[in-house]
Amino acid sequence: MIYSVRDLHFQYWLDLIPVPALRGVSLDIDSGESVVLSGPSGSGKSTLLSLLGLIEGVQGGSLKFLGQEFAVLSEKKKNDIRRFQIGFIFQNFQLFPTLTAEENVEYFLIRQGVPSLERKKRVKHALEAVGLWDRRSHRPNELSGGQRQRVAIARAAAKRPKVILADEPTASLDQKTGGEILQMLDQLRGEFGTTLIIASHDPLVIERAGRVFQLMDGKEVNL
Ligand SMILES: Nc1ncnc2c1ncn2[C@@H]1O[C@H](COP(=O)(O)OP(=O)(O)O)[C@@H](O)[C@H]1O
Ligand SMILES: [Mg+2]
């Protein structure tokens, strides 16, 4: 089991007014699974992803990552998990605009302390896998939306994380490019046993999901 979530609650604060985002979510995810978090806008998908990514703190309930309770993890341990075990693919890509595709992919590997030779190997492998090795010297503004998303996937993949968290990875892409992106994520799962957790309400994504976890107003609903 990679994640075990019980009765998770989370609220934001806006001008001293609480905004409930998760209202009792329970969910187990096995290693190597492919899970889509679905639901309409505002249902809590991104919030749940940021808790699974150890970006937001647990306010109520329990969240275990590989059997370790989030609440008792030290900051250092949480940082290590984020750095080594979790790959993020954000909705707006969040690539570094001044770095080339190659440098973007390499960046986290440098932070992980991966030795230079191994780093070059992984960067090449990841960029080849997403079909962008010949564009490695391009900066994000010299790439299309689909290509940027592929760089973001390569960047997450090169880390060889246990889990990839992707927030609406197909939202800004046409259907064909979106399909290719999903295929690449599946390939990663096949090659490295990476657990995939994708927040999306795109029918294309839901259709291909191993399992759909349906959210509504911060809670699971059964359709
Ligand atoms: N930074 C924030 N500050 C205040 N409220 C927020 C913030 N982010 C999200 N919310 C609110 O939390 C709820 C869940 O949002 P979110 O997790 O972004 O849903 P989804 O990703 O499904 O669209 C919504 O009501 C949203 O307005
Ligand atoms: Mg969202």
Side-chain angles (χ1 to χ4, degrees):
M1 190 93 70
I2 189 154
Y3 283 108
S4 180
V5 171
R6 288 292 170 278
D7 201 26
L8 201 60
H9 282 75
F10 190 89
Q11 60 187 19
Y12 296 95
W13 290 90
L14 261 188
D15 300 331
L16 302 177
I17 298 165
V19 183
L22 298 178
R23 301 185 302 144
V25 168
S26 297
L27 168 69
D28 286 333
I29 299 176
D30 275 328
S31 209
E33 253 199 291
S34 153
V35 181
V36 171
L37 310 176
S38 195
S41 178
S43 58
K45 304 182 295 296
S46 295
T47 304
L48 182 52
L49 272 191
S50 54
L51 281 148
L52 295 174
L54 313 189
I55 294 172
E56 294 281 6
V58 170
Q59 297 173 345
S62 151
L63 189 159
K64 287 184 186 160
F65 180 81
L66 293 172
Q68 308 167 93
E69 182 66 50
F70 176 94
V72 303
L73 289 176
S74 66
E75 274 311 313
K76 174 171 187 319
K77 185 75 194 159
K78 277 187 275 195
N79 270 325
D80 281 351
I81 293 175
R82 281 190 292 257
R83 185 179 296 181
F84 292 102
Q85 313 211 22
I86 301 178
F88 295 94
I89 299 170
F90 296 100
Q91 193 164 0
N92 48 4
F93 318 132
Q94 299 202 7
L95 299 174
F96 301 107
T98 60
L99 301 185
T100 64
E102 187 173 15
E103 291 162 344
N104 263 287
V105 176
E106 192 175 13
Y107 179 82
F108 288 116
L109 301 183
I110 295 174
R111 280 188 49 200
Q112 278 186 341
V114 176
S116 161
L117 222 61
E118 167 71 12
R119 226 162 51 213
K120 302 286 177 212
K121 211 172 81 188
R122 282 206 219 170
V123 170
K124 184 157 190 274
H125 181 79
L127 280 173
E128 277 174 353
V130 300
L132 286 179
W133 179 242
D134 60 335
R135 302 299 173 92
R136 61 189 174 278
S137 303
H138 290 226
R139 293 194 167 70
N141 68 348
E142 298 158 350
L143 297 167
S144 71
Q147 289 171 333
R148 281 180 221 173
Q149 187 63 301
R150 277 147 64 188
V151 175
I153 290 178
R155 183 174 62 171
K159 276 173 85 171
R160 308 268 165 91
K162 283 222 162 50
V163 46
I164 286 189
L165 305 173
D167 201 355
E168 314 260 7
T170 61
S172 53
L173 307 177
D174 62 73
Q175 206 172 358
K176 178 170 171 288
T177 314
E180 288 167 4
I181 294 296
L182 293 174
Q183 207 174 342
M184 279 166 202
L185 289 171
D186 273 343
Q187 261 170 25
L188 267 181
R189 198 162 75 95
E191 191 174 355
F192 298 110
T194 316
T195 310
L196 285 183
I197 307 177
I198 305 176
S200 178
H201 53 250
D202 180 348
L204 190 74
V205 179
I206 294 165
E207 204 172 273
R208 304 173 56 130
R211 173 155 66 110
V212 177
F213 186 83
Q214 186 76 28
L215 280 163
M216 178 79 90
D217 294 333
K219 272 193 187 156
E220 184 181 14
V221 286
N222 295 308
L223 291 182

